[in-house]
Amino acid sequence: MISAVAVALAFTAPVQAAGAATGNVLSVRDVYGMPGQIVTIYVDLENEDAVQNCDFKLVLPAVLSAPISVELTERKQDHELSWSLYEPDTYRFLILSWGKKTLPGNSGAILRITCQVGANVGTYQLLIQDAKAVNPAYENVLTGTRNATVTVYTAPAKVRIKTWLEGFHVLGLLRTDIRAASELPWTSPYPEAVRTASSLPTSIADWILLELRATADGPALQRQSFLLKNDGFLCEMDGSTTTLTLDMPPGTYWLVLRHRNHAAVMSATAQALNSTTAVYYDFILAPGQFYGGGGKALGGGYHAMPCGDISGEGSLTTVDYVAWYHRIMLSPAPGYHREDLNGDRLVNESDYSLWLNNARAGWDSRVP
Ligand SMILES: [Ca+2]
Ligand SMILES: [Ca+2]
């Protein structure tokens, strides 16, 4: 058998691109952090074969502390985790099912590790070694691994962004009915990037999720929740600061916006962001601001994120309709509902009409 180290050196294919899994690949995601911050290392498994147990070592750069927390993700059944320091800066992890259960799903994180970032700015290697992914017949089916880097920086990238939500839009502003009824949650509804607001002024319409990518169809480098004001500006947790401080160093990034019931959109081009002057990206002013023509014209020369993707997977299908139908059958009280496409707190025929019009017209997310 080829050793896992040899496989690691030989493997070069990108593993986080969209599409079906090819082989069984264990990878770590790139990590970005400032001195003193707590960062999370994600270990992902993309597997086309059933995997029961995993065994691997991680070599952490000296700029990271020893693991503060190590936990399995939702990709587990009766799996147990053992880990320990193997040699200086190298930790061994063993994920094992005593009941011969397999890891659910075919992609995504199987392990989360938090560490604290040290003071030395730079870019460092984060290596996987001696990895095995064992199937129920106790054969190692791992076909590759992918290493990552840890980037330590001191000046975060800044940006200003304006967008409108089609469903929430009324005469140049976004509805704030949810906030007015004190039903807007203080904590972001996006589990990928939970944050808590310090203030929720009455001008806040909803929460929105910003994703940064290095390539148009590549994986997310970072996801961060922001508040969305009624004038369309994303703002910080104080509900008013529209210069957004990103958890990333300066760089050139594609800007993806996701919302809990609108189709995701992406900037037409990558934006060079720096740490001193916040680049301003306005999604509403022209159709050409949206990658793939993904913005919906509202009239008056304005454009918005198309509403209706309740399931959040990118397209408007009966899955979204069924979610709306189930909700309305429950006669929900007014509130913060994903099926409320126009943001008036109610789930009713108005929301259905918005979904139907967009589904018939073939609206979906154009984010690859
Ligand atoms: Ca959908
Ligand atoms: Ca509604």
PDB file of all heavy atoms in Angstrom, residues 8-45:
ATOM      1  N   ALA A   8      -0.277  12.159   0.107  1.00  0.00           N
ATOM      2  CA  ALA A   8      -0.452  13.588   0.387  1.00  0.00           C
ATOM      3  C   ALA A   8       0.374  14.428  -0.565  1.00  0.00           C
ATOM      4  O   ALA A   8      -0.068  15.454  -1.062  1.00  0.00           O
ATOM      5  CB  ALA A   8      -0.053  13.882   1.830  1.00  0.00           C
ATOM      6  N   LEU A   9       1.591  13.989  -0.851  1.00  0.00           N
ATOM      7  CA  LEU A   9       2.454  14.763  -1.728  1.00  0.00           C
ATOM      8  C   LEU A   9       1.978  14.699  -3.168  1.00  0.00           C
ATOM      9  O   LEU A   9       2.132  15.652  -3.921  1.00  0.00           O
ATOM     10  CB  LEU A   9       3.895  14.233  -1.629  1.00  0.00           C
ATOM     11  CG  LEU A   9       4.565  14.467  -0.269  1.00  0.00           C
ATOM     12  CD1 LEU A   9       5.904  13.753  -0.217  1.00  0.00           C
ATOM     13  CD2 LEU A   9       4.747  15.956  -0.025  1.00  0.00           C
ATOM     14  N   ALA A  10       1.386  13.571  -3.558  1.00  0.00           N
ATOM     15  CA  ALA A  10       1.007  13.381  -4.949  1.00  0.00           C
ATOM     16  C   ALA A  10      -0.305  14.087  -5.282  1.00  0.00           C
ATOM     17  O   ALA A  10      -0.534  14.470  -6.425  1.00  0.00           O
ATOM     18  CB  ALA A  10       0.864  11.883  -5.250  1.00  0.00           C
ATOM     19  N   PHE A  11      -1.153  14.291  -4.301  1.00  0.00           N
ATOM     20  CA  PHE A  11      -2.493  14.791  -4.598  1.00  0.00           C
ATOM     21  C   PHE A  11      -2.487  16.289  -4.836  1.00  0.00           C
ATOM     22  O   PHE A  11      -2.013  17.050  -4.024  1.00  0.00           O
ATOM     23  CB  PHE A  11      -3.440  14.474  -3.438  1.00  0.00           C
ATOM     24  CG  PHE A  11      -4.854  14.832  -3.760  1.00  0.00           C
ATOM     25  CD1 PHE A  11      -5.642  14.000  -4.522  1.00  0.00           C
ATOM     26  CD2 PHE A  11      -5.369  16.048  -3.333  1.00  0.00           C
ATOM     27  CE1 PHE A  11      -6.929  14.355  -4.848  1.00  0.00           C
ATOM     28  CE2 PHE A  11      -6.659  16.400  -3.662  1.00  0.00           C
ATOM     29  CZ  PHE A  11      -7.446  15.562  -4.419  1.00  0.00           C
ATOM     30  N   THR A  12      -3.021  16.716  -5.986  1.00  0.00           N
ATOM     31  CA  THR A  12      -3.028  18.146  -6.281  1.00  0.00           C
ATOM     32  C   THR A  12      -4.399  18.666  -6.681  1.00  0.00           C
ATOM     33  O   THR A  12      -4.584  19.862  -6.811  1.00  0.00           O
ATOM     34  CB  THR A  12      -2.056  18.473  -7.430  1.00  0.00           C
ATOM     35  OG1 THR A  12      -2.406  17.658  -8.548  1.00  0.00           O
ATOM     36  CG2 THR A  12      -0.625  18.203  -7.039  1.00  0.00           C
ATOM     37  N   ALA A  13      -5.366  17.782  -6.904  1.00  0.00           N
ATOM     38  CA  ALA A  13      -6.662  18.245  -7.410  1.00  0.00           C
ATOM     39  C   ALA A  13      -7.392  19.070  -6.353  1.00  0.00           C
ATOM     40  O   ALA A  13      -7.278  18.793  -5.163  1.00  0.00           O
ATOM     41  CB  ALA A  13      -7.530  17.055  -7.796  1.00  0.00           C
ATOM     42  N   PRO A  14      -8.127  20.112  -6.769  1.00  0.00           N
ATOM     43  CA  PRO A  14      -8.933  20.859  -5.803  1.00  0.00           C
ATOM     44  C   PRO A  14     -10.052  19.977  -5.271  1.00  0.00           C
ATOM     45  O   PRO A  14     -10.642  19.225  -6.035  1.00  0.00           O
ATOM     46  CB  PRO A  14      -9.494  22.022  -6.616  1.00  0.00           C
ATOM     47  CG  PRO A  14      -9.438  21.562  -8.035  1.00  0.00           C
ATOM     48  CD  PRO A  14      -8.288  20.613  -8.139  1.00  0.00           C
ATOM     49  N   VAL A  15     -10.281  20.049  -3.985  1.00  0.00           N
ATOM     50  CA  VAL A  15     -11.267  19.133  -3.412  1.00  0.00           C
ATOM     51  C   VAL A  15     -12.517  19.848  -2.916  1.00  0.00           C
ATOM     52  O   VAL A  15     -13.504  19.203  -2.616  1.00  0.00           O
ATOM     53  CB  VAL A  15     -10.682  18.325  -2.243  1.00  0.00           C
ATOM     54  CG1 VAL A  15      -9.536  17.476  -2.740  1.00  0.00           C
ATOM     55  CG2 VAL A  15     -10.234  19.242  -1.135  1.00  0.00           C
ATOM     56  N   GLN A  16     -12.501  21.169  -2.845  1.00  0.00           N
ATOM     57  CA  GLN A  16     -13.691  21.832  -2.304  1.00  0.00           C
ATOM     58  C   GLN A  16     -14.544  22.448  -3.394  1.00  0.00           C
ATOM     59  O   GLN A  16     -15.518  23.119  -3.119  1.00  0.00           O
ATOM     60  CB  GLN A  16     -13.279  22.896  -1.297  1.00  0.00           C
ATOM     61  CG  GLN A  16     -12.743  22.262  -0.014  1.00  0.00           C
ATOM     62  CD  GLN A  16     -12.545  23.281   1.073  1.00  0.00           C
ATOM     63  OE1 GLN A  16     -12.913  24.439   0.933  1.00  0.00           O
ATOM     64  NE2 GLN A  16     -11.980  22.863   2.182  1.00  0.00           N
ATOM     65  N   ALA A  17     -14.187  22.237  -4.672  1.00  0.00           N
ATOM     66  CA  ALA A  17     -15.022  22.755  -5.744  1.00  0.00           C
ATOM     67  C   ALA A  17     -16.368  22.051  -5.711  1.00  0.00           C
ATOM     68  O   ALA A  17     -16.493  20.935  -5.221  1.00  0.00           O
ATOM     69  CB  ALA A  17     -14.332  22.526  -7.081  1.00  0.00           C
ATOM     70  N   ALA A  18     -17.392  22.744  -6.260  1.00  0.00           N
ATOM     71  CA  ALA A  18     -18.725  22.158  -6.285  1.00  0.00           C
ATOM     72  C   ALA A  18     -18.701  20.905  -7.148  1.00  0.00           C
ATOM     73  O   ALA A  18     -17.879  20.744  -8.030  1.00  0.00           O
ATOM     74  CB  ALA A  18     -19.716  23.169  -6.833  1.00  0.00           C
ATOM     75  N   GLY A  19     -19.654  20.008  -6.877  1.00  0.00           N
ATOM     76  CA  GLY A  19     -19.771  18.827  -7.711  1.00  0.00           C
ATOM     77  C   GLY A  19     -19.600  17.566  -6.899  1.00  0.00           C
ATOM     78  O   GLY A  19     -19.408  17.593  -5.695  1.00  0.00           O
ATOM     79  N   ALA A  20     -19.680  16.441  -7.585  1.00  0.00           N
ATOM     80  CA  ALA A  20     -19.646  15.165  -6.908  1.00  0.00           C
ATOM     81  C   ALA A  20     -18.253  14.897  -6.339  1.00  0.00           C
ATOM     82  O   ALA A  20     -17.246  15.380  -6.837  1.00  0.00           O
ATOM     83  CB  ALA A  20     -20.027  14.064  -7.884  1.00  0.00           C
ATOM     84  N   ALA A  21     -18.243  14.120  -5.279  1.00  0.00           N
ATOM     85  CA  ALA A  21     -16.973  13.741  -4.682  1.00  0.00           C
ATOM     86  C   ALA A  21     -16.220  12.824  -5.637  1.00  0.00           C
ATOM     87  O   ALA A  21     -16.812  12.019  -6.337  1.00  0.00           O
ATOM     88  CB  ALA A  21     -17.233  13.023  -3.362  1.00  0.00           C
ATOM     89  N   THR A  22     -14.917  12.982  -5.688  1.00  0.00           N
ATOM     90  CA  THR A  22     -14.089  12.049  -6.440  1.00  0.00           C
ATOM     91  C   THR A  22     -13.100  11.458  -5.465  1.00  0.00           C
ATOM     92  O   THR A  22     -12.247  12.155  -4.937  1.00  0.00           O
ATOM     93  CB  THR A  22     -13.344  12.760  -7.581  1.00  0.00           C
ATOM     94  OG1 THR A  22     -12.691  13.900  -7.050  1.00  0.00           O
ATOM     95  CG2 THR A  22     -14.310  13.216  -8.660  1.00  0.00           C
ATOM     96  N   GLY A  23     -13.225  10.177  -5.235  1.00  0.00           N
ATOM     97  CA  GLY A  23     -12.360   9.534  -4.273  1.00  0.00           C
ATOM     98  C   GLY A  23     -12.733   9.919  -2.852  1.00  0.00           C
ATOM     99  O   GLY A  23     -13.857  10.349  -2.568  1.00  0.00           O
ATOM    100  N   ASN A  24     -11.760   9.759  -1.961  1.00  0.00           N
ATOM    101  CA  ASN A  24     -11.985  10.042  -0.544  1.00  0.00           C
ATOM    102  C   ASN A  24     -10.831  10.898  -0.063  1.00  0.00           C
ATOM    103  O   ASN A  24      -9.703  10.415   0.024  1.00  0.00           O
ATOM    104  CB  ASN A  24     -12.062   8.728   0.234  1.00  0.00           C
ATOM    105  CG  ASN A  24     -13.091   7.785  -0.372  1.00  0.00           C
ATOM    106  OD1 ASN A  24     -14.290   8.057  -0.355  1.00  0.00           O
ATOM    107  ND2 ASN A  24     -12.628   6.686  -0.962  1.00  0.00           N
ATOM    108  N   VAL A  25     -11.129  12.150   0.216  1.00  0.00           N
ATOM    109  CA  VAL A  25     -10.068  13.127   0.461  1.00  0.00           C
ATOM    110  C   VAL A  25     -10.267  13.804   1.817  1.00  0.00           C
ATOM    111  O   VAL A  25     -11.347  14.319   2.113  1.00  0.00           O
ATOM    112  CB  VAL A  25     -10.055  14.199  -0.654  1.00  0.00           C
ATOM    113  CG1 VAL A  25      -8.991  15.246  -0.359  1.00  0.00           C
ATOM    114  CG2 VAL A  25      -9.803  13.550  -2.014  1.00  0.00           C
ATOM    115  N   LEU A  26      -9.225  13.783   2.611  1.00  0.00           N
ATOM    116  CA  LEU A  26      -9.232  14.480   3.896  1.00  0.00           C
ATOM    117  C   LEU A  26      -8.475  15.795   3.711  1.00  0.00           C
ATOM    118  O   LEU A  26      -7.368  15.797   3.167  1.00  0.00           O
ATOM    119  CB  LEU A  26      -8.542  13.617   4.952  1.00  0.00           C
ATOM    120  CG  LEU A  26      -8.743  14.025   6.409  1.00  0.00           C
ATOM    121  CD1 LEU A  26     -10.174  13.724   6.854  1.00  0.00           C
ATOM    122  CD2 LEU A  26      -7.760  13.291   7.305  1.00  0.00           C
ATOM    123  N   SER A  27      -9.072  16.905   4.138  1.00  0.00           N
ATOM    124  CA  SER A  27      -8.419  18.200   3.921  1.00  0.00           C
ATOM    125  C   SER A  27      -8.621  19.116   5.118  1.00  0.00           C
ATOM    126  O   SER A  27      -9.516  18.907   5.936  1.00  0.00           O
ATOM    127  CB  SER A  27      -8.972  18.869   2.657  1.00  0.00           C
ATOM    128  OG  SER A  27     -10.358  19.076   2.762  1.00  0.00           O
ATOM    129  N   VAL A  28      -7.767  20.130   5.215  1.00  0.00           N
ATOM    130  CA  VAL A  28      -7.959  21.189   6.202  1.00  0.00           C
ATOM    131  C   VAL A  28      -8.201  22.488   5.448  1.00  0.00           C
ATOM    132  O   VAL A  28      -7.681  22.685   4.353  1.00  0.00           O
ATOM    133  CB  VAL A  28      -6.752  21.382   7.147  1.00  0.00           C
ATOM    134  CG1 VAL A  28      -6.913  20.594   8.419  1.00  0.00           C
ATOM    135  CG2 VAL A  28      -5.455  21.052   6.466  1.00  0.00           C
ATOM    136  N   ARG A  29      -9.009  23.363   6.050  1.00  0.00           N
ATOM    137  CA  ARG A  29      -9.280  24.658   5.426  1.00  0.00           C
ATOM    138  C   ARG A  29      -8.230  25.683   5.845  1.00  0.00           C
ATOM    139  O   ARG A  29      -7.709  25.623   6.965  1.00  0.00           O
ATOM    140  CB  ARG A  29     -10.660  25.182   5.857  1.00  0.00           C
ATOM    141  CG  ARG A  29     -11.801  24.292   5.424  1.00  0.00           C
ATOM    142  CD  ARG A  29     -13.129  24.907   5.814  1.00  0.00           C
ATOM    143  NE  ARG A  29     -14.162  23.872   5.902  1.00  0.00           N
ATOM    144  CZ  ARG A  29     -15.381  24.056   6.377  1.00  0.00           C
ATOM    145  NH1 ARG A  29     -15.740  25.254   6.822  1.00  0.00           N
ATOM    146  NH2 ARG A  29     -16.247  23.065   6.426  1.00  0.00           N
ATOM    147  N   ASP A  30      -7.992  26.645   4.960  1.00  0.00           N
ATOM    148  CA  ASP A  30      -7.095  27.748   5.305  1.00  0.00           C
ATOM    149  C   ASP A  30      -7.653  28.507   6.509  1.00  0.00           C
ATOM    150  O   ASP A  30      -8.865  28.639   6.671  1.00  0.00           O
ATOM    151  CB  ASP A  30      -6.952  28.702   4.124  1.00  0.00           C
ATOM    152  CG  ASP A  30      -6.153  28.081   2.978  1.00  0.00           C
ATOM    153  OD1 ASP A  30      -5.349  27.168   3.244  1.00  0.00           O
ATOM    154  OD2 ASP A  30      -6.355  28.501   1.834  1.00  0.00           O
ATOM    155  N   VAL A  31      -6.748  29.010   7.325  1.00  0.00           N
ATOM    156  CA  VAL A  31      -7.113  29.711   8.567  1.00  0.00           C
ATOM    157  C   VAL A  31      -6.559  31.129   8.502  1.00  0.00           C
ATOM    158  O   VAL A  31      -5.425  31.338   8.057  1.00  0.00           O
ATOM    159  CB  VAL A  31      -6.513  28.960   9.781  1.00  0.00           C
ATOM    160  CG1 VAL A  31      -6.758  29.728  11.070  1.00  0.00           C
ATOM    161  CG2 VAL A  31      -7.081  27.554   9.880  1.00  0.00           C
ATOM    162  N   TYR A  32      -7.351  32.105   8.921  1.00  0.00           N
ATOM    163  CA  TYR A  32      -6.924  33.511   8.966  1.00  0.00           C
ATOM    164  C   TYR A  32      -7.204  34.049  10.355  1.00  0.00           C
ATOM    165  O   TYR A  32      -8.295  33.840  10.889  1.00  0.00           O
ATOM    166  CB  TYR A  32      -7.704  34.344   7.940  1.00  0.00           C
ATOM    167  CG  TYR A  32      -7.511  33.882   6.510  1.00  0.00           C
ATOM    168  CD1 TYR A  32      -8.309  32.867   5.977  1.00  0.00           C
ATOM    169  CD2 TYR A  32      -6.529  34.445   5.707  1.00  0.00           C
ATOM    170  CE1 TYR A  32      -8.129  32.426   4.670  1.00  0.00           C
ATOM    171  CE2 TYR A  32      -6.338  34.018   4.404  1.00  0.00           C
ATOM    172  CZ  TYR A  32      -7.147  33.008   3.891  1.00  0.00           C
ATOM    173  OH  TYR A  32      -6.956  32.573   2.614  1.00  0.00           O
ATOM    174  N   GLY A  33      -6.242  34.755  10.934  1.00  0.00           N
ATOM    175  CA  GLY A  33      -6.497  35.296  12.261  1.00  0.00           C
ATOM    176  C   GLY A  33      -5.522  36.389  12.626  1.00  0.00           C
ATOM    177  O   GLY A  33      -4.433  36.499  12.051  1.00  0.00           O
ATOM    178  N   MET A  34      -5.929  37.202  13.585  1.00  0.00           N
ATOM    179  CA  MET A  34      -5.053  38.262  14.090  1.00  0.00           C
ATOM    180  C   MET A  34      -4.475  37.816  15.434  1.00  0.00           C
ATOM    181  O   MET A  34      -5.067  36.974  16.126  1.00  0.00           O
ATOM    182  CB  MET A  34      -5.836  39.567  14.229  1.00  0.00           C
ATOM    183  CG  MET A  34      -6.273  40.119  12.874  1.00  0.00           C
ATOM    184  SD  MET A  34      -6.691  41.877  12.906  1.00  0.00           S
ATOM    185  CE  MET A  34      -8.261  41.839  13.761  1.00  0.00           C
ATOM    186  N   PRO A  35      -3.328  38.377  15.822  1.00  0.00           N
ATOM    187  CA  PRO A  35      -2.713  37.986  17.095  1.00  0.00           C
ATOM    188  C   PRO A  35      -3.716  38.050  18.256  1.00  0.00           C
ATOM    189  O   PRO A  35      -4.438  39.035  18.392  1.00  0.00           O
ATOM    190  CB  PRO A  35      -1.582  39.004  17.260  1.00  0.00           C
ATOM    191  CG  PRO A  35      -1.191  39.339  15.851  1.00  0.00           C
ATOM    192  CD  PRO A  35      -2.489  39.354  15.091  1.00  0.00           C
ATOM    193  N   GLY A  36      -3.775  36.995  19.023  1.00  0.00           N
ATOM    194  CA  GLY A  36      -4.669  36.948  20.176  1.00  0.00           C
ATOM    195  C   GLY A  36      -6.040  36.373  19.882  1.00  0.00           C
ATOM    196  O   GLY A  36      -6.755  35.974  20.804  1.00  0.00           O
ATOM    197  N   GLN A  37      -6.435  36.334  18.605  1.00  0.00           N
ATOM    198  CA  GLN A  37      -7.765  35.813  18.267  1.00  0.00           C
ATOM    199  C   GLN A  37      -7.821  34.296  18.426  1.00  0.00           C
ATOM    200  O   GLN A  37      -6.809  33.600  18.295  1.00  0.00           O
ATOM    201  CB  GLN A  37      -8.120  36.150  16.809  1.00  0.00           C
ATOM    202  CG  GLN A  37      -8.689  37.539  16.606  1.00  0.00           C
ATOM    203  CD  GLN A  37      -9.193  37.743  15.179  1.00  0.00           C
ATOM    204  OE1 GLN A  37      -8.718  37.117  14.240  1.00  0.00           O
ATOM    205  NE2 GLN A  37     -10.148  38.638  15.024  1.00  0.00           N
ATOM    206  N   ILE A  38      -9.046  33.819  18.664  1.00  0.00           N
ATOM    207  CA  ILE A  38      -9.299  32.381  18.649  1.00  0.00           C
ATOM    208  C   ILE A  38      -9.770  32.031  17.241  1.00  0.00           C
ATOM    209  O   ILE A  38     -10.717  32.642  16.729  1.00  0.00           O
ATOM    210  CB  ILE A  38     -10.383  31.994  19.671  1.00  0.00           C
ATOM    211  CG1 ILE A  38     -10.012  32.492  21.079  1.00  0.00           C
ATOM    212  CG2 ILE A  38     -10.612  30.480  19.659  1.00  0.00           C
ATOM    213  CD1 ILE A  38      -8.798  31.853  21.674  1.00  0.00           C
ATOM    214  N   VAL A  39      -9.124  31.086  16.601  1.00  0.00           N
ATOM    215  CA  VAL A  39      -9.524  30.672  15.260  1.00  0.00           C
ATOM    216  C   VAL A  39      -9.943  29.202  15.278  1.00  0.00           C
ATOM    217  O   VAL A  39      -9.589  28.454  16.188  1.00  0.00           O
ATOM    218  CB  VAL A  39      -8.376  30.857  14.240  1.00  0.00           C
ATOM    219  CG1 VAL A  39      -8.101  32.333  14.003  1.00  0.00           C
ATOM    220  CG2 VAL A  39      -7.123  30.121  14.688  1.00  0.00           C
ATOM    221  N   THR A  40     -10.735  28.844  14.265  1.00  0.00           N
ATOM    222  CA  THR A  40     -11.210  27.467  14.155  1.00  0.00           C
ATOM    223  C   THR A  40     -10.563  26.784  12.951  1.00  0.00           C
ATOM    224  O   THR A  40     -10.541  27.341  11.857  1.00  0.00           O
ATOM    225  CB  THR A  40     -12.740  27.439  13.991  1.00  0.00           C
ATOM    226  OG1 THR A  40     -13.331  28.116  15.103  1.00  0.00           O
ATOM    227  CG2 THR A  40     -13.262  26.006  13.945  1.00  0.00           C
ATOM    228  N   ILE A  41     -10.028  25.619  13.192  1.00  0.00           N
ATOM    229  CA  ILE A  41      -9.496  24.777  12.114  1.00  0.00           C
ATOM    230  C   ILE A  41     -10.566  23.732  11.800  1.00  0.00           C
ATOM    231  O   ILE A  41     -11.027  23.019  12.688  1.00  0.00           O
ATOM    232  CB  ILE A  41      -8.203  24.061  12.563  1.00  0.00           C
ATOM    233  CG1 ILE A  41      -7.128  25.077  12.921  1.00  0.00           C
ATOM    234  CG2 ILE A  41      -7.718  23.094  11.489  1.00  0.00           C
ATOM    235  CD1 ILE A  41      -5.945  24.446  13.644  1.00  0.00           C
ATOM    236  N   TYR A  42     -10.977  23.671  10.531  1.00  0.00           N
ATOM    237  CA  TYR A  42     -11.954  22.662  10.112  1.00  0.00           C
ATOM    238  C   TYR A  42     -11.231  21.556   9.354  1.00  0.00           C
ATOM    239  O   TYR A  42     -10.476  21.826   8.417  1.00  0.00           O
ATOM    240  CB  TYR A  42     -13.005  23.275   9.194  1.00  0.00           C
ATOM    241  CG  TYR A  42     -13.939  24.249   9.883  1.00  0.00           C
ATOM    242  CD1 TYR A  42     -13.650  25.611   9.899  1.00  0.00           C
ATOM    243  CD2 TYR A  42     -15.090  23.792  10.505  1.00  0.00           C
ATOM    244  CE1 TYR A  42     -14.502  26.507  10.527  1.00  0.00           C
ATOM    245  CE2 TYR A  42     -15.945  24.681  11.135  1.00  0.00           C
ATOM    246  CZ  TYR A  42     -15.648  26.038  11.144  1.00  0.00           C
ATOM    247  OH  TYR A  42     -16.494  26.926  11.764  1.00  0.00           O
ATOM    248  N   VAL A  43     -11.499  20.321   9.738  1.00  0.00           N
ATOM    249  CA  VAL A  43     -10.994  19.164   8.989  1.00  0.00           C
ATOM    250  C   VAL A  43     -12.182  18.592   8.218  1.00  0.00           C
ATOM    251  O   VAL A  43     -13.186  18.195   8.819  1.00  0.00           O
ATOM    252  CB  VAL A  43     -10.398  18.102   9.932  1.00  0.00           C
ATOM    253  CG1 VAL A  43      -9.897  16.905   9.126  1.00  0.00           C
ATOM    254  CG2 VAL A  43      -9.267  18.708  10.760  1.00  0.00           C
ATOM    255  N   ASP A  44     -12.073  18.591   6.899  1.00  0.00           N
ATOM    256  CA  ASP A  44     -13.172  18.140   6.039  1.00  0.00           C
ATOM    257  C   ASP A  44     -12.863  16.772   5.459  1.00  0.00           C
ATOM    258  O   ASP A  44     -11.705  16.445   5.159  1.00  0.00           O
ATOM    259  CB  ASP A  44     -13.359  19.121   4.862  1.00  0.00           C
ATOM    260  CG  ASP A  44     -13.873  20.479   5.299  1.00  0.00           C
ATOM    261  OD1 ASP A  44     -14.755  20.523   6.169  1.00  0.00           O
ATOM    262  OD2 ASP A  44     -13.383  21.489   4.777  1.00  0.00           O
ATOM    263  N   LEU A  45     -13.922  15.996   5.261  1.00  0.00           N
ATOM    264  CA  LEU A  45     -13.799  14.721   4.541  1.00  0.00           C
ATOM    265  C   LEU A  45     -14.768  14.743   3.379  1.00  0.00           C
ATOM    266  O   LEU A  45     -15.972  14.927   3.565  1.00  0.00           O
ATOM    267  CB  LEU A  45     -14.122  13.541   5.463  1.00  0.00           C
ATOM    268  CG  LEU A  45     -14.075  12.173   4.776  1.00  0.00           C
ATOM    269  CD1 LEU A  45     -12.653  11.810   4.342  1.00  0.00           C
ATOM    270  CD2 LEU A  45     -14.644  11.081   5.687  1.00  0.00           C
TER     271      LEU A  45
END
